[in-house]
Amino acid sequence: MSLLDLLIPAAHAQAAAGATAQPSPWPSVIMLGAVFVLMYFMMIRPQMKRQKEHRQMVEKLAKGDEIVTSGGIAGRIDDVGESFITVEIAEGTKVRLQKGAINAVLPKGTLKSL
């Protein structure tokens, strides 16, 4: 008895008997379900968590917060509107941005140290 006989005894038995039984569809359905569950926990759920954290961060923005945009611009919030904010990036230079463009909120005093 070889290792190969242990791995494929069912296939060998079917070929010898000439049976034409249909394979069960359940292993394929179970595998498809397992792949979906794995994709949910590995990709969909973490992305939803990041979106929720970003949405909460954007809702908490207030005048005077120091932020970094997704384009890499650092500045201090001068005015907060419904969907736009005004950011002062230098003395007397203000830029109007969408709230969704905010990437991170910096600790207070970070911009003065630069």
Side-chain angles (χ1 to χ4, degrees), residues 42-101:
M42 297 295 287
M43 295 174 66
I44 298 170
R45 189 168 179 228
Q47 179 65 24
M48 287 172 41
K49 184 178 177 183
R50 281 191 294 271
Q51 286 176 344
K52 181 179 176 185
E53 290 170 354
H54 185 262
R55 187 171 41 252
Q56 289 174 346
M57 177 195 65
V58 168
E59 289 173 357
K60 292 179 184 177
L61 290 175
K63 184 176 178 176
D65 286 347
E66 296 175 358
I67 53 101
V68 175
T69 67
S70 57
I73 298 173
R76 185 172 294 109
I77 296 177
D78 188 53
D79 184 37
V80 179
E82 178 111 7
S83 60
F84 289 92
I85 61 169
T86 304
V87 179
E88 185 174 12
I89 57 175
E91 186 85 25
T93 306
K94 296 180 182 179
V95 179
R96 193 163 170 84
L97 302 168
Q98 286 184 327
K99 283 185 173 182

